Amino acid sequence: MRKRCGPAVLDGPGVQSRAEGMKQIVLFLLTAGVSLLSTGTAYAQVQEKRMSISLGGGRSIPSGGFADGKTRGSLFLLGVTVRVSETVHLAFNGHDNLFSVKRGQHDRDRLSDETLQRLGPEVDANVSLEGANFGLMFKTATSPAAVHGVGGIGYTRSIDRFFGTARGTKLTAFSSETSFSILLGGGVHVPMTSTVGLALDVRYIRAFNDRNIQWFPVAASVVFSFWTVAPQ
């Protein structure tokens, strides 16, 4: 389902502050992960936990036709897993990706020519991909490190934003579309303490819309684990 909207007054600082905020979150999480990795080698043996929450950031790499005119984007990642057996976990993943579009290579078909003309001759654009997936994670033993694979289904909302200046006024217009998506990926989880660890993930997400949007999120996450599993 696609939603098209006409131009409106652009809050430029708000858009910039969002991008800067995501960059700061990514830098903070990467710094925290490196710090844990360098100081937590003494915590190799930990008990399996029933639930974990992960917060991460990194880069999103566009793929296929979607990569045309796009640069690598910023990524914020949220994950929740719940253990259902020794190797199987339920997994929820939420993601927010922001890609810049090279000047003059935006997807004009997302808006009418009339709207683009109102934006002015110099049009900039970016693409935001937001969504969530639910599925299964298959995970090896936690100590000293766990390798995992994950797969799921969900949705992705793509938002194309267009920016221009007409008669000295900054304007923006956007087009949004929500579609079914799949997620496949894997990574490694290294426990640092009994409750905190570091995870590195590479994933593939494909949204089944008219553009078949697909990309690879690459993230470093801090993982917080809770509720020790009682010995059998």
Side-chain angles (χ1 to χ4, degrees), residues 166-228:
R167 295 182 294 277
T169 301
K170 292 183 178 181
L171 302 173
T172 183
F174 72 92
S175 172
S176 65
E177 181 179 8
T178 301
S179 55
F180 169 78
S181 65
I182 61 171
L183 176 150
L184 296 171
V188 60
H189 172 212
V190 182
M192 300 299 156
T193 72
S194 60
T195 58
V196 181
L198 173 67
L200 301 175
D201 292 271
V202 178
R203 300 181 179 185
Y204 168 79
I205 302 178
R206 178 167 182 171
F208 291 88
N209 50 30
D210 59 353
R211 290 185 289 177
N212 284 323
I213 293 174
Q214 50 190 321
W215 73 102
F216 292 90
V218 181
S221 304
V222 178
V223 183
F224 303 91
S225 301
F226 309 93
W227 302 333
T228 301

Side-chain angles (χ1 to χ4, degrees), residues 15-121:
V15 175
Q16 294 177 359
S17 63
R18 182 195 178 203
E20 290 299 323
M22 290 184 68
K23 289 180 181 178
Q24 292 176 4
I25 291 173
V26 170
L27 289 174
F28 170 78
L29 290 169
L30 290 175
T31 302
V34 171
S35 176
L36 286 170
L37 186 61
S38 62
T39 60
T41 54
Y43 300 95
Q45 300 295 323
V46 297
Q47 290 181 285
E48 180 67 62
K49 300 299 179 68
R50 191 169 300 279
M51 177 181 180
S52 67
I53 298 175
S54 59
L55 295 171
R59 302 291 282 174
S60 288
I61 304 171
S63 178
F66 179 65
D68 295 341
K70 310 293 190 309
T71 62
R72 294 184 180 184
S74 58
L75 163 69
F76 176 75
L77 184 68
L78 167 67
V80 178
T81 64
V82 178
R83 184 181 189 269
V84 294
S85 73
E86 184 176 356
T87 58
V88 179
H89 298 66
L90 297 176
F92 167 83
N93 297 276
H95 54 86
D96 188 357
N97 313 259
L98 182 62
F99 299 89
S100 296
V101 179
K102 298 176 182 178
R103 174 65 67 88
Q105 299 189 44
H106 52 275
D107 188 352
R108 295 181 61 92
D109 293 338
R110 314 309 293 177
L111 296 172
S112 66
D113 288 339
E114 178 183 358
T115 298
L116 288 171
Q117 289 174 4
R118 293 179 62 187
L119 290 174

Side-chain angles (χ1 to χ4, degrees), residues 143-164:
S143 301
V147 176
H148 61 263
V150 62
I153 60 174
Y155 77 96
T156 294
R157 183 185 183 217
S158 60
I159 306 172
D160 292 76
R161 295 184 180 89
F162 302 83
F163 312 103

